[in-house]
Amino acid sequence: MSRQESTLPKRPILVVCLNPVLQRTLLFADWKENEVNRTGEYFLHASGKGVNVSRVLTHLGATAVHLTHAGGRQRSYFLEMCADDGIRVEWAESEAEIRTCTTLLSRRNQSSTELVEEARPVAAETEGRIRRRFLELIDKVGFMVISGTKAAGYSDELYPWMVGEAGRREVPVVLDIKDSDLENSLRHRPLLIKPNLAEFAKSFLGKELESEQAEDPKLIAEAQSRMRALAAEYGTSVVLTRGGKGLLACHQGEIISREALPLTPVNTIGCGDAFTAGCAFELARGGSFDDALDLGTKCAAANARLITPGSIQE
């Protein structure tokens, strides 16, 4: 995808994610369980949902500032890789090692299999450090994205507090979070919430889904009804991503359905983050909701064609 040079967001976009990752990606012609699998194609990237969003925003031409924590032996390596990708990182000491997650790609099956290490708990002092850095940054930006599950050790009120502080400053907020973090933030009336269908079903319908691509008509109807209710109560737009099945959205009371773009995937890890970045970029520069969905969909498709997670250009 080309950079969106015509109209860029006038102010920086703050991207908050409190769960940094080193993402190892191994590409196989095919791989088999219970066998020795060898490949000469392997990669390591700075990642995590916030890094992915920030990387795509940077590719689109926006000025993104990523707020996270960092600690342990891998901290310098993580920060160096972010810098190599042009990502500005503002971080607080966490005294916790940065985790490594692994993606196994199969050319034969066109599949992406993710092996996730859960994050180590951050030190007790980390939240205070993050709050102070956040207050230093929020007055300097024009838009904010909060993305991903935060590491253990933070309070339940941290993300809602951030959304409230942004609201007090009239900074629009996009939330790609779930569970109580999302539910408790709604009272501050974010501009847009963007869980996937499975996350939405768990958070607001009390249902566990095996996949975000579920197609049960009764479930979809129930989700649409709840989307309308949330939009009416909190004045927020709602987007539910569904992977290869496209998306459902609710904007100003209208339900919108979009199909995913046809493609042959290479790596689907980070597609949701690329979608979030595309939406945020378009909204931050004053674009319409329809245009935000269009750009988000294009960014997700571009990401799926590449090795690097959370990227629209190599």
Side-chain angles (χ1 to χ4, degrees), residues 32 61-62 66 130 141 160 162 164 208-209 216 227 233 251-252 254 264 277-278 285 302 310:
K32 298 179 181 179
H66 178 41
I130 286 290
V141 302
M162 287 181 173
E208 295 277 355
L209 304 184
D216 176 26
M227 291 163 70
E233 183 174 0
H251 178 63
Q252 297 179 345
E254 177 188 0
T264 300
R285 67 176 181 171

Side-chain angles (χ1 to χ4, degrees), residues 35-314:
E35 299 287 348
V36 175
N37 296 274
R38 299 180 185 276
T39 179
E41 295 183 272
Y42 48 88
F43 312 87
L44 187 65
H45 300 97
S47 191
K49 294 180 73 66
V51 169
N52 295 345
V53 171
S54 298
R55 185 186 288 115
V56 173
L57 285 170
T58 300
H59 289 170
L60 289 170
T63 299
V65 182
H66 178 41
L67 175 63
T68 191
H69 62 251
R73 294 169 295 177
Q74 302 280 25
R75 178 178 61 202
S76 295
Y77 195 23
F78 171 81
L79 294 173
E80 287 172 8
M81 284 193 288
C82 287
D84 288 344
D85 286 342
I87 300 170
R88 174 185 164 190
V89 179
E90 297 288 340
W91 60 278
E93 175 62 58
S94 65
E95 301 174 35
E97 190 67 64
I98 295 174
R99 62 192 175 133
T100 300
C101 294
T102 303
T103 305
L104 307 180
L105 304 179
S106 168
R107 290 191 189 275
R108 177 180 178 183
N109 298 326
Q110 298 174 2
S111 64
S112 305
T113 301
E114 184 73 352
L115 309 177
V116 177
E117 296 181 8
E118 295 292 356
R120 301 293 186 188
V122 299
E125 299 83 4
T126 307
E127 180 163 336
R129 296 166 182 156
I130 286 290
R131 285 180 182 249
R132 288 190 291 274
R133 297 304 291 271
F134 176 84
L135 290 175
E136 292 170 359
L137 294 168
I138 191 61
D139 288 321
K140 302 174 184 177
V141 302
F143 204 91
M144 181 170 78
V145 177
I146 303 181
S147 193
T149 303
K150 60 188 187 301
Y154 290 108
S155 73
D156 290 341
E157 273 301 306
L158 178 56
Y159 279 173
W161 171 79
M162 287 181 173
V163 180
E165 289 297 314
R168 288 180 54 238
R169 294 161 172 81
E170 299 185 345
V171 174
V173 178
V174 169
L175 297 178
D176 185 5
I177 56 180
K178 61 183 180 178
D179 299 334
S180 60
D181 282 336
L182 176 55
E183 296 171 56
N184 295 334
S185 295
L186 283 172
R187 66 181 184 267
H188 298 298
R189 305 176 73 84
L191 177 67
L192 171 68
I193 65 172
K194 197 241 82 174
N196 65 40
L197 177 61
E199 293 166 344
F200 185 85
K202 181 180 178 183
S203 297
F204 297 106
L205 304 179
K207 297 183 177 182
E208 295 277 355
L209 304 184
E210 292 185 2
S211 169
E212 64 182 8
Q213 301 187 45
E215 294 187 275
D216 176 26
K218 184 177 179 180
L219 171 72
I220 297 300
E222 190 176 352
Q224 290 176 348
S225 177
R226 190 73 176 105
M227 291 163 70
R228 282 195 179 98
L230 291 173
E233 183 174 0
Y234 298 108
T236 184
S237 296
V238 184
V239 177
L240 310 185
T241 51
R242 302 179 59 209
K245 299 297 182 182
L247 63 85
L248 288 173
C250 182
H251 178 63
Q252 297 179 345
E254 177 188 0
I255 295 294
I256 302 166
S257 178
R258 295 283 181 90
E259 295 183 356
L261 297 176
L263 56 87
T264 300
V266 174
N267 185 4
T268 59
I269 305 304
C271 286
D273 305 325
F275 179 90
T276 298
C279 276
F281 178 89
E282 190 63 47
L283 295 171
R285 67 176 181 171
S288 70
F289 186 75
D290 280 346
D291 286 343
L293 295 183
D294 286 344
L295 184 57
T297 299
K298 291 175 182 176
C299 287
N303 179 93
R305 297 185 179 101
L306 303 176
I307 292 290
T308 304
S311 178
I312 57 174
Q313 64 184 44
E314 295 288 22

